[in-house]
Amino acid sequence: MSSSLTIGVAIAVPQPHATVLANWRRRVGDPAAELVWPHVTLLPPTPVDLDDLPAIEEHLTRAAESRPPFVMHLSGTGTFRPTSPVVFVQVARGVGDCEELEASVRTGLLDRPLDFPYHPHVTVAQEISEEALDEAYTGLSDFVARFPVDHLVLFSRGEDRRWQWRTEFTLGGADRLSD
């Protein structure tokens, strides 16, 4: 009998921005600050059969190669409240690129329904007190980051619930980033 693994696929926010966002998560008491790298989700947590991992990695290689690199611009905060107790940093530029990558990733072996319509963002506070959510929302309202996106990352969740950086897949389709 084969074992299973929970995976996720994301665009990892690079340093120094990742540290700023993780520190804010810690500051407001979000326990996920120690478990997950700041990211824009392309595939939410998904259980897969370990035997399928080579085919999944081939699929992700093709999905990444099908999309060109792009520039992502994060700016300000948003929230899913009252539907969901989440505060996030908004993707101000690169939304369409994320949507196209997500559509490429979430096919074949990784085709699965979503709980909510896809909306690219970087979660900075989740399922904590209203006051702490407000602190994250206000405290990061002026946050701005701009960086090139040239790869996506396959993460896996360990028994300790921490997400581990597993494999990077390089975006293709263009020789250079467009501004």
Side-chain angles (χ1 to χ4, degrees):
M1 184 161 110
S2 181
S3 300
S4 67
L5 177 71
T6 298
I7 64 166
V9 179
I11 296 167
V13 175
Q15 295 293 7
H17 315 297
T19 295
V20 171
L21 297 175
N23 285 342
W24 264 98
R25 252 186 137 150
R26 283 184 199 91
R27 177 178 172 168
V28 298
D30 186 331
E34 305 303 327
L35 303 175
V36 62
W37 186 275
H39 66 279
V40 175
T41 299
L42 299 172
L43 177 75
T46 302
V48 298
D49 191 307
L50 272 175
D51 290 343
D52 290 336
L53 210 48
I56 289 169
E57 290 183 342
E58 283 181 35
H59 167 72
L60 292 174
T61 297
R62 287 190 307 275
E65 288 175 349
S66 75
R67 305 298 322 145
F70 62 97
V71 173
M72 181 171 288
H73 183 179
L74 304 176
S75 182
T77 51
T79 184
F80 293 130
R81 293 184 288 180
T83 304
S84 182
V86 173
V87 170
F88 56 87
V89 169
Q90 297 189 74
V91 175
R93 180 175 177 201
V95 171
D97 297 290
C98 291
E99 291 171 341
E100 290 173 0
L101 262 175
E102 184 267 350
S104 295
V105 165
R106 207 170 43 84
T107 61
L109 284 170
L110 299 179
D111 186 13
R112 56 157 291 178
L114 298 177
D115 295 334
F116 300 100
Y118 182 68
H119 176 3
H121 64 279
V122 180
T123 299
V124 292
Q126 183 171 357
E127 297 180 7
I128 55 178
S129 73
E130 287 294 317
E131 295 80 19
L133 288 168
D134 290 342
E135 182 181 352
Y137 185 87
T138 302
L140 284 164
S141 64
D142 293 332
F143 180 83
V144 175
R146 182 180 160 108
F147 52 89
V149 175
D150 59 7
H151 65 277
L152 54 89
V153 180
L154 172 64
F155 289 91
S156 60
R157 186 165 54 200
E159 290 181 21
D160 62 0
R161 311 278 302 154
R162 289 182 192 275
W163 286 94
Q164 306 295 323
W165 196 295
R166 193 174 178 91
T167 311
E168 291 182 15
F169 300 89
T170 302
L171 300 182
D175 292 337
R176 65 177 202 77
L177 293 174
S178 58
D179 280 331

